[in-house]
Tab-separated table of all heavy atoms in Angstrom:
chain	number	residue	atom	x	y	z
V	101	LEU	N	11.658	23.849	33.329
V	101	LEU	CA	10.896	22.905	32.515
V	101	LEU	C	11.254	23.037	31.043
V	101	LEU	O	11.507	22.031	30.363
V	101	LEU	CB	9.394	23.126	32.712
V	101	LEU	CG	8.463	22.254	31.846
V	101	LEU	CD1	8.753	20.776	32.067
V	101	LEU	CD2	7.004	22.577	32.141
V	105	LEU	N	12.962	20.103	28.687
V	105	LEU	CA	12.365	19.618	27.443
V	105	LEU	C	13.334	19.779	26.281
V	105	LEU	O	13.472	18.886	25.438
V	105	LEU	CB	11.062	20.373	27.158
V	105	LEU	CG	9.920	20.124	28.143
V	105	LEU	CD1	8.778	21.106	27.895
V	105	LEU	CD2	9.414	18.691	28.030
V	159	ILE	N	5.638	24.435	21.960
V	159	ILE	CA	5.529	23.868	23.302
V	159	ILE	C	5.406	25.022	24.287
V	159	ILE	O	6.238	25.931	24.298
V	159	ILE	CB	6.749	23.002	23.652
V	159	ILE	CG1	6.815	21.787	22.721
V	159	ILE	CG2	6.684	22.541	25.113
V	159	ILE	CD1	8.041	20.915	22.940
V	160	ILE	N	4.368	25.001	25.106
V	160	ILE	CA	4.119	26.060	26.076
V	160	ILE	C	4.593	25.602	27.442
V	160	ILE	O	4.023	24.692	28.037
V	160	ILE	CB	2.621	26.427	26.109
V	160	ILE	CG1	2.167	26.897	24.719
V	160	ILE	CG2	2.347	27.499	27.158
V	160	ILE	CD1	0.675	27.147	24.612
V	161	ALA	N	5.657	26.214	27.933
V	161	ALA	CA	6.234	25.857	29.236
V	161	ALA	C	6.426	27.125	30.053
V	161	ALA	O	7.500	27.384	30.595
V	161	ALA	CB	7.554	25.119	29.050
V	162	VAL	N	5.360	27.921	30.134
V	162	VAL	CA	5.386	29.203	30.850
V	162	VAL	C	4.415	29.127	32.024
V	162	VAL	O	3.594	28.198	32.106
V	162	VAL	CB	4.991	30.356	29.915
V	162	VAL	CG1	5.975	30.476	28.755
V	162	VAL	CG2	3.569	30.166	29.379
V	164	ALA	N	1.120	29.707	34.326
V	164	ALA	CA	-0.280	29.636	33.903
V	164	ALA	C	-0.810	30.977	33.411
V	164	ALA	O	-1.565	31.033	32.429
V	164	ALA	CB	-1.141	29.123	35.061
V	167	ALA	N	0.047	31.552	29.723
V	167	ALA	CA	-0.186	30.473	28.760
V	167	ALA	C	-1.072	30.893	27.585
V	167	ALA	O	-0.756	30.621	26.428
V	167	ALA	CB	-0.791	29.264	29.468
V	182	LEU	N	0.001	22.577	19.237
V	182	LEU	CA	0.549	23.081	20.487
V	182	LEU	C	0.533	22.007	21.560
V	182	LEU	O	-0.460	21.289	21.714
V	182	LEU	CB	-0.272	24.278	20.987
V	182	LEU	CG	-0.263	25.538	20.125
V	182	LEU	CD1	-1.234	26.564	20.702
V	182	LEU	CD2	1.134	26.122	20.025
V	183	MET	N	1.640	21.899	22.294
V	183	MET	CA	1.695	21.041	23.468
V	183	MET	C	1.779	21.947	24.687
V	183	MET	O	2.722	22.723	24.815
V	183	MET	CB	2.888	20.090	23.409
V	183	MET	CG	3.018	19.194	24.635
V	183	MET	SD	4.350	17.964	24.469
V	183	MET	CE	3.617	16.838	23.293
V	184	ASN	N	0.786	21.846	25.562
V	184	ASN	CA	0.688	22.769	26.691
V	184	ASN	C	1.101	22.107	27.992
V	184	ASN	O	0.435	21.210	28.493
V	184	ASN	CB	-0.754	23.289	26.802
V	184	ASN	CG	-0.915	24.267	27.947
V	184	ASN	OD1	0.033	24.927	28.350
V	184	ASN	ND2	-2.122	24.349	28.482
V	185	PHE	N	2.232	22.562	28.554
V	185	PHE	CA	2.693	22.081	29.848
V	185	PHE	C	2.292	23.017	30.978
V	185	PHE	O	2.523	22.710	32.149
V	185	PHE	CB	4.224	21.935	29.847
V	185	PHE	CG	4.725	20.703	29.145
V	185	PHE	CD1	4.964	20.720	27.779
V	185	PHE	CD2	4.947	19.531	29.842
V	185	PHE	CE1	5.427	19.586	27.116
V	185	PHE	CE2	5.403	18.391	29.195
V	185	PHE	CZ	5.642	18.418	27.831
V	186	ALA	N	1.714	24.157	30.651
V	186	ALA	CA	1.286	25.105	31.684
V	186	ALA	C	0.042	24.583	32.385
V	186	ALA	O	-0.834	23.998	31.747
V	186	ALA	CB	0.992	26.467	31.052
V	187	PRO	N	-0.069	24.781	33.710
V	187	PRO	CA	-1.248	24.309	34.452
V	187	PRO	C	-2.443	25.228	34.238
V	187	PRO	O	-2.978	25.827	35.174
V	187	PRO	CB	-0.757	24.334	35.902
V	187	PRO	CG	0.234	25.452	35.927
V	187	PRO	CD	0.936	25.413	34.591
V	188	ALA	N	-2.843	25.363	32.979
V	188	ALA	CA	-3.960	26.241	32.643
V	188	ALA	C	-4.577	25.777	31.333
V	188	ALA	O	-3.882	25.260	30.447
V	188	ALA	CB	-3.481	27.679	32.514
V	189	ARG	N	-5.867	25.969	31.210
V	189	ARG	CA	-6.550	25.660	29.956
V	189	ARG	C	-6.317	26.791	28.970
V	189	ARG	O	-6.332	27.964	29.349
V	189	ARG	CB	-8.051	25.482	30.181
V	189	ARG	CG	-8.416	24.168	30.864
V	189	ARG	CD	-9.924	24.012	30.946
V	189	ARG	NE	-10.308	22.721	31.479
V	189	ARG	CZ	-10.422	21.613	30.756
V	189	ARG	NH1	-10.202	21.661	29.450
V	189	ARG	NH2	-10.779	20.467	31.306
V	190	ILE	N	-6.110	26.428	27.715
V	190	ILE	CA	-5.957	27.442	26.682
V	190	ILE	C	-7.043	27.256	25.636
V	190	ILE	O	-7.528	26.147	25.417
V	190	ILE	CB	-4.562	27.380	26.020
V	190	ILE	CG1	-4.320	25.995	25.412
V	190	ILE	CG2	-3.473	27.740	27.011
V	190	ILE	CD1	-3.038	25.904	24.605
V	198	THR	N	-4.367	20.937	20.112
V	198	THR	CA	-3.612	21.081	21.359
V	198	THR	C	-3.532	19.752	22.093
V	198	THR	O	-4.467	18.949	22.056
V	198	THR	CB	-4.260	22.118	22.296
V	198	THR	OG1	-5.568	21.678	22.657
V	198	THR	CG2	-4.340	23.475	21.630
V	199	VAL	N	-2.416	19.530	22.743
V	199	VAL	CA	-2.219	18.367	23.611
V	199	VAL	C	-1.826	18.902	24.972
V	199	VAL	O	-0.877	19.682	25.088
V	199	VAL	CB	-1.122	17.429	23.060
V	199	VAL	CG1	-0.879	16.286	24.037
V	199	VAL	CG2	-1.513	16.886	21.699
V	200	CYS	N	-2.549	18.493	26.010
V	200	CYS	CA	-2.279	18.976	27.355
V	200	CYS	C	-1.392	17.989	28.104
V	200	CYS	O	-1.679	16.791	28.142
V	200	CYS	CB	-3.587	19.188	28.115
V	200	CYS	SG	-3.371	19.808	29.793
V	201	ALA	N	-0.316	18.498	28.678
V	201	ALA	CA	0.599	17.661	29.463
V	201	ALA	C	0.661	18.228	30.875
V	201	ALA	O	1.671	18.790	31.292
V	201	ALA	CB	1.978	17.641	28.821
V	202	ASP	N	-0.435	18.085	31.596
V	202	ASP	CA	-0.555	18.637	32.948
V	202	ASP	C	-0.068	17.595	33.951
V	202	ASP	O	-0.769	16.638	34.270
V	202	ASP	CB	-2.015	19.008	33.226
V	202	ASP	CG	-2.183	19.776	34.531
V	202	ASP	OD1	-1.344	19.610	35.437
V	202	ASP	OD2	-3.160	20.529	34.657
V	203	PHE	N	1.165	17.779	34.448
V	203	PHE	CA	1.757	16.806	35.357
V	203	PHE	C	0.943	16.651	36.640
V	203	PHE	O	0.778	15.547	37.154
V	203	PHE	CB	3.191	17.209	35.709
V	203	PHE	CG	4.156	17.105	34.565
V	203	PHE	CD1	5.113	18.083	34.355
V	203	PHE	CD2	4.121	16.025	33.703
V	203	PHE	CE1	6.014	17.995	33.305
V	203	PHE	CE2	5.000	15.919	32.649
V	203	PHE	CZ	5.947	16.906	32.453
V	204	ARG	N	0.456	17.759	37.169
V	204	ARG	CA	-0.307	17.692	38.408
V	204	ARG	C	-1.587	16.887	38.224
V	204	ARG	O	-1.949	16.066	39.070
V	204	ARG	CB	-0.632	19.094	38.932
V	204	ARG	CG	-1.359	19.052	40.274
V	204	ARG	CD	-1.613	20.421	40.863
V	204	ARG	NE	-2.345	20.315	42.116
V	204	ARG	CZ	-1.794	20.082	43.297
V	204	ARG	NH1	-0.484	19.936	43.372
V	204	ARG	NH2	-2.516	20.000	44.392
V	205	ALA	N	-2.273	17.118	37.108
V	205	ALA	CA	-3.497	16.376	36.833
V	205	ALA	C	-3.214	14.881	36.724
V	205	ALA	O	-3.996	14.053	37.212
V	205	ALA	CB	-4.157	16.891	35.553
V	206	LEU	N	-2.088	14.538	36.098
V	206	LEU	CA	-1.717	13.127	35.971
V	206	LEU	C	-1.402	12.517	37.333
V	206	LEU	O	-1.765	11.369	37.620
V	206	LEU	CB	-0.514	12.992	35.037
V	206	LEU	CG	-0.770	13.352	33.566
V	206	LEU	CD1	0.537	13.345	32.791
V	206	LEU	CD2	-1.763	12.378	32.940
V	207	LEU	N	-0.718	13.288	38.197
V	207	LEU	CA	-0.414	12.795	39.538
V	207	LEU	C	-1.686	12.640	40.371
V	207	LEU	O	-1.808	11.694	41.159
V	207	LEU	CB	0.554	13.757	40.238
V	207	LEU	CG	2.012	13.677	39.776
V	207	LEU	CD1	2.816	14.819	40.383
V	207	LEU	CD2	2.627	12.334	40.161
V	208	GLU	N	-2.634	13.559	40.198
V	208	GLU	CA	-3.901	13.458	40.921
V	208	GLU	C	-4.666	12.215	40.489
V	208	GLU	O	-5.285	11.526	41.308
V	208	GLU	CB	-4.734	14.718	40.693
V	208	GLU	CG	-4.164	15.946	41.407
V	208	GLU	CD	-4.844	17.238	41.009
V	208	GLU	OE1	-5.641	17.210	40.039
V	208	GLU	OE2	-4.583	18.276	41.660
V	209	MET	N	-4.623	11.911	39.189
V	209	MET	CA	-5.271	10.712	38.690
V	209	MET	C	-4.580	9.477	39.247
V	209	MET	O	-5.236	8.500	39.652
V	209	MET	CB	-5.234	10.687	37.160
V	209	MET	CG	-5.945	9.489	36.539
V	209	MET	SD	-6.023	9.609	34.738
V	209	MET	CE	-4.281	9.470	34.329
V	210	LEU	N	-3.239	9.516	39.302
V	210	LEU	CA	-2.477	8.401	39.856
V	210	LEU	C	-2.777	8.235	41.342
V	210	LEU	O	-2.894	7.102	41.843
V	210	LEU	CB	-0.981	8.638	39.642
V	210	LEU	CG	-0.046	7.499	40.027
V	210	LEU	CD1	-0.369	6.245	39.233
V	210	LEU	CD2	1.406	7.916	39.786
V	211	ALA	N	-2.939	9.353	42.054
V	211	ALA	CA	-3.275	9.296	43.479
V	211	ALA	C	-4.598	8.590	43.704
V	211	ALA	O	-4.771	7.839	44.672
V	211	ALA	CB	-3.334	10.711	44.062
Side-chain angles (χ1 to χ4, degrees):
L101 176 57
L105 294 170
I159 296 177
I160 301 174
V162 298
L182 295 174
M183 178 175 287
N184 181 26
F185 282 87
R189 286 185 175 275
I190 58 173
T198 62
V199 176
C200 181
D202 188 334
F203 291 139
R204 183 176 178 84
L206 293 173
L207 284 171
E208 289 171 350
M209 182 174 66
L210 186 60

